[in-house]
Amino acid sequence: MRNPPLSLYVHIPWCVQKCPYCDFNSHGLKSALPEKEYVAHLLDDLAIDAKRIGDRTVETIFIGGGTPSLFSAEAIGDLINGIRTRVNLAENAEITMEANPGTVESGRFAGFYQAGINRISVGIQSFQPAHLKVLGRIHDDTQAIEAINQAHSAGLPTFNLDLMHGLPEQSVENAMSDVDKALALSPYHLSWYQLTIEPNTPFYSRPPELPDDDILWDIQEQGHARLKAAGYEQYEISAYAKAGHQCQHNLNYWRFGDYLGIGCGAHGKITDIATGTITRTVKIKHPRGYMEITRPYLDTETQVPTDDLPFEFFMNRFRLVEPCPIEDYTALTGVELTKEYQDALDDAQTQGLLDITDTHWQVTAKGRRYLNTLLSCFV
């Protein structure tokens, strides 16, 4: 067993208003942001978690939410500087922050870059006014375009554009219009994913009418072709990037890497090669509880059962287009490949979902299309 690369996830839970499809731990902003107080708690949280990792190097940081770009560049700078003093942060660490379009927020991009952010992920979702309204987004298409233009002009070495498809009553032509408008803005990275209806959301309580499976497949097929023709390489089920611009933080998740999670409701995964165990942590979810000094930040801490590790590994690793070295399975989970799972792999190969060589497993194009079918082989 070996230690995988290590990342840090930072959760900032506030947003202007919660979108009806969102099941993330986010809270509509009802008063002034407690920037300084929350950053102080984040850094205290990290100081406690740092004891878990010793002198291991943190390779990437991802600041998600919520809407982290509601915080000032000064607060983000204080956060990043504080992180550097508490963990061994790689000199060339990828540091991503999520942002939503808007005149005030997007104008801060240059300030965020100066504060230490070197990758912005902009949540566009759609350029169509009707769809933006249905999704509960507070920006319009003009603000979306302005945000991307400012990401270019801010001098950021890379940035991502988030785009959804399979939206309520969306046609193939309408979805391709969104793709074309996104491509015209030349982002370095594009996260292009299908809207799903999640429990405990307004959309789950009052489901909108979504496109049927035939339309969804046409959207995916035509969109993939356009992205490929424009020079974007698909490296994960819903992630496309120009050469050299893959998201290293998300790659570490999908390669079954380790990560500390600080902030409200943040999840972490840490490997202990001395004991051969993998531990998952969850922090207190609500901002009020998280920022009560008399309470610990940790909500739950669970050692992953050995029987769960194979599925967790395959569920993450098989989202990637790249071949998976077979040796990674035991090296990162600490368990041997049993006959049960070897039979499951062979079954996936027989179904045309997986290619197997002496050294690698490779998900096929069919396997990516029917990912749930592939993963069901290991349940």
Side-chain angles (χ1 to χ4, degrees):
M1 195 175 191
R2 69 170 189 263
N3 275 329
L6 176 67
S7 295
L8 170 64
Y9 175 75
V10 182
H11 192 75
I12 295 178
W14 294 281
C15 52
V16 176
Q17 68 178 30
K18 194 171 178 70
C19 300
Y21 59 86
C22 178
D23 68 335
F24 295 153
N25 182 30
S26 58
H27 301 263
L29 190 60
K30 298 178 181 178
S31 59
L33 280 170
E35 284 189 342
K36 291 185 178 181
E37 182 184 4
Y38 191 67
V39 168
H41 281 288
L42 287 173
L43 295 176
D44 286 346
D45 190 357
L46 178 60
I48 296 170
D49 266 10
K51 299 172 184 176
R52 299 175 180 271
I53 61 172
D55 61 355
R56 291 175 65 184
T57 299
V58 173
E59 305 288 348
T60 68
I61 299 172
F62 195 103
I63 305 171
T67 306
S69 55
L70 288 174
F71 272 38
S72 66
E74 179 183 6
I76 296 298
D78 289 344
L79 171 64
I80 294 172
N81 290 334
I83 290 171
R84 292 185 186 279
T85 66
R86 287 162 176 79
V87 297
N88 181 21
L89 183 63
E91 184 177 349
N92 61 342
E94 175 192 88
I95 305 177
T96 302
M97 185 180 75
E98 291 183 333
N100 284 337
T103 303
V104 175
E105 292 173 42
S106 61
R108 298 178 180 177
F109 287 176
F112 291 137
Y113 182 35
Q114 293 172 3
I117 299 297
N118 54 32
R119 185 176 185 273
I120 291 280
S121 181
V122 187
I124 301 296
Q125 315 314 354
S126 177
F127 294 96
Q128 310 294 326
H131 286 134
L132 289 170
K133 182 178 180 180
V134 169
L135 294 173
R137 306 299 287 174
I138 62 171
H139 66 270
D140 59 26
D141 56 331
T142 300
Q143 290 173 314
I145 293 169
E146 174 63 17
I148 298 301
N149 288 336
Q150 289 201 35
H152 277 296
S153 62
L156 288 158
T158 190
F159 64 85
N160 169 64
L161 188 159
D162 261 3
L163 194 66
M164 283 185 174
H165 63 84
L167 304 179
E169 301 182 12
Q170 186 175 46
S171 66
V172 176
E173 293 75 19
N174 184 270
M176 290 307 99
S177 174
D178 270 351
V179 170
D180 289 341
K181 288 179 180 179
L183 292 176
L185 295 169
S186 299
Y188 298 102
H189 186 286
L190 189 66
S191 295
W192 187 57
Y193 52 95
Q194 182 179 324
L195 171 65
T196 56
I197 306 300
E198 303 290 350
N200 303 314
T201 65
F203 272 4
Y204 188 80
S205 302
R206 299 178 298 279
E209 184 177 346
L210 300 181
D212 63 34
D213 288 345
D214 288 339
I215 292 176
L216 289 173
W217 174 242
D218 286 343
I219 288 173
Q220 292 177 37
E221 192 173 45
Q222 292 185 32
H224 176 80
R226 294 189 189 206
L227 289 163
K228 183 177 180 179
Y232 291 83
E233 176 189 2
Q234 183 184 26
Y235 68 97
E236 188 267 343
I237 290 293
S238 59
Y240 295 77
K242 292 184 177 179
H245 291 277
Q246 296 176 334
C247 178
Q248 299 305 306
H249 185 89
N250 286 342
L251 275 174
N252 191 42
Y253 285 154
W254 296 319
R255 289 171 177 163
F256 210 56
D258 278 355
Y259 47 95
L260 295 176
I262 62 171
C264 300
H267 290 237
K269 168 187 172 286
I270 296 296
T271 300
D272 186 339
I273 58 175
T275 61
T277 59
I278 294 175
T279 299
R280 292 195 178 276
T281 60
V282 182
K283 301 300 172 61
I284 291 172
K285 187 174 182 179
H286 198 280
R288 188 179 302 112
Y290 181 84
M291 291 192 290
E292 286 180 1
I293 299 174
T294 57
R295 296 185 61 179
Y297 300 107
L298 186 67
D299 185 19
T300 63
E301 178 177 345
T302 309
Q303 184 176 317
V304 181
T306 301
D307 290 346
D308 292 349
L309 286 169
F311 181 73
E312 286 203 12
F313 178 85
F314 293 129
M315 178 178 64
N316 285 279
R317 198 56 180 76
F318 284 169
R319 290 185 64 90
L320 290 175
V321 174
E322 68 182 20
C324 172
I326 294 175
E327 66 179 7
D328 280 2
Y329 175 83
T330 298
L332 297 179
T333 64
V335 298
E336 297 295 327
L337 188 63
T338 63
K339 183 179 185 302
E340 175 189 3
Y341 284 104
Q342 184 59 62
D343 289 345
L345 290 160
D346 292 340
D347 180 41
Q349 183 179 38
T350 299
Q351 295 184 57
L353 304 170
L354 195 68
D355 286 334
I356 302 176
T357 69
D358 291 340
T359 59
H360 288 82
W361 298 313
Q362 171 73 70
V363 179
T364 64
K366 180 180 178 181
R368 290 194 294 275
R369 179 178 180 182
Y370 299 107
L371 181 62
N372 288 338
T373 302
L374 170 60
L375 294 177
S376 69
C377 295
F378 307 102
V379 176

